[in-house]
Amino acid sequence: DQQVKQNSPSLSVQEGRISILNCDYTNSMFDYFLWYKKYPAEGPTFLISISSIKDKNEDGRFTVFLNKSAKHLSLHIVPSQPGDSAVYFCAASAGNSGGSNYKLTFGKGTLLTVNP
Amino acid sequence: DTGVSQDPRHKITKRGQNVTFRCDPISEHNRLYWYRQTLGQGPEFLTYFQNEAQLEKSRLLSDRFSAERPKGSFSTLEIQRTEQGDSAMYLCASSSGIRGFGYTFGSGTRLTVV
């Protein structure tokens, strides 16, 4: 039972264009959402997060949009750069998940390739 | 502070052997997590510590797995009688508990059981 789904295993974009990575979730208890980037042989690196009380959060070239009614979020990268090429994971946590452990549930990831 | 450190980076072991991994979290972080990642999957939660107390264990953590965090600092994850299905990347992460900042992950320990 996958509670966080990233339905696109891969995405290829041209340098300078917009990259849009999508994520869907099923658990209504999720109230915090995060995006991580992962390079080969490294651990995931935190990129940006959004609380369920917001619908948009922006940090430099990265913007995350949240549509609670559709249980959908997306990460926009503008402009895309070759160094952005990595696997991007969507993750979610439920604030009231017993003990406030804030454990993260991850999607399977999307491999982004930005071509020069 | 250099972030979350994990040791070893790679471990190859024969089926049936015991292995132990170590994680040194960011010193100010009182929360520590272990995750496992297999090929083509996202990281999956294994267990969580707040200070020295192990507060949650996933059903993925069979009886062959044990984790400790003595004195609330570093943590160890031991796998007894390893099986080929245990081959994975084992990731440790730490957090201050401020949700907007996410976790800080280590580089992981790649376990291969032959």
Side-chain angles (χ1 to χ4, degrees):
Chain A
D1 175 26
Q2 252 199 303
Q3 299 184 63
V4 177
K5 301 177 184 179
Q6 293 177 259
N7 291 321
S8 298
S10 63
L11 174 68
S12 182
V13 300
Q14 285 300 119
E15 181 177 5
R17 306 294 290 270
I18 184 171
S19 295
I20 300 176
L21 297 109
N22 293 303
C23 177
D24 297 291
Y25 63 96
T26 57
N27 188 342
S28 300
M29 299 302 292
F30 288 148
D31 64 348
Y32 229 98
F33 304 89
L34 305 92
W35 286 93
Y36 281 81
K37 178 169 74 173
K38 187 179 183 304
Y39 293 119
E42 294 184 13
T45 302
F46 171 70
L47 265 181
I48 192 169
S49 66
I50 188 167
S51 162
S52 60
I53 63 174
K54 296 186 174 181
D55 56 16
K56 177 182 174 181
N57 190 25
E58 195 170 352
D59 183 2
R61 297 186 297 113
F62 302 91
T63 302
V64 57
F65 295 92
L66 175 63
N67 182 334
K68 280 181 62 180
S69 60
K71 293 191 175 67
H72 177 84
L73 63 154
S74 60
L75 175 68
H76 292 209
I77 306 174
V78 183
S80 301
Q81 300 172 354
D84 295 329
S85 298
V87 176
Y88 288 78
F89 290 101
C90 172
S93 74
N96 293 323
S97 63
S100 298
N101 61 31
Y102 302 151
K103 68 182 179 184
L104 297 180
T105 300
F106 285 83
K108 291 186 176 183
T110 296
L111 174 61
L112 173 66
T113 303
V114 181
N115 301 304
Chain B
D1 199 331
T2 56
V4 178
S5 299
Q6 291 190 245
D7 183 69
R9 290 294 305 272
H10 303 276
K11 178 72 177 178
I12 299 174
T13 190
K14 291 184 177 179
R15 190 176 52 182
Q17 297 294 304
N18 299 343
V19 294
T20 300
F21 311 140
R22 177 180 170 121
C23 171
D24 287 272
I26 293 173
S27 55
E28 312 89 80
H29 288 177
N30 61 350
R31 296 163 181 258
L32 186 146
Y33 305 82
W34 284 98
Y35 279 75
R36 180 173 70 186
Q37 185 179 15
T38 53
L39 197 62
Q41 303 293 318
E44 295 175 292
F45 171 78
L46 290 179
T47 190
Y48 158 69
F49 289 86
Q50 186 161 341
N51 300 310
E52 66 276 9
Q54 188 175 19
L55 296 184
E56 185 171 349
K57 294 197 300 184
S58 163
R59 56 185 170 81
L60 291 176
L61 217 64
S62 76
D63 291 345
R64 297 183 296 105
F65 288 70
S66 62
E68 294 182 342
R69 193 184 181 196
K71 303 178 184 177
S73 55
F74 73 92
S75 176
T76 58
L77 177 67
E78 181 184 15
I79 309 174
Q80 296 183 325
R81 305 181 304 281
T82 52
E83 302 172 354
Q84 286 190 321
D86 297 331
S87 296
M89 174 74 83
Y90 289 85
L91 293 161
C92 175
S94 69
S95 164
S96 62
I98 301 174
R99 301 179 75 191
F101 295 164
Y103 302 164
T104 302
F105 279 89
S107 295
T109 294
R110 168 73 66 188
L111 173 67
T112 303
V113 181
V114 298

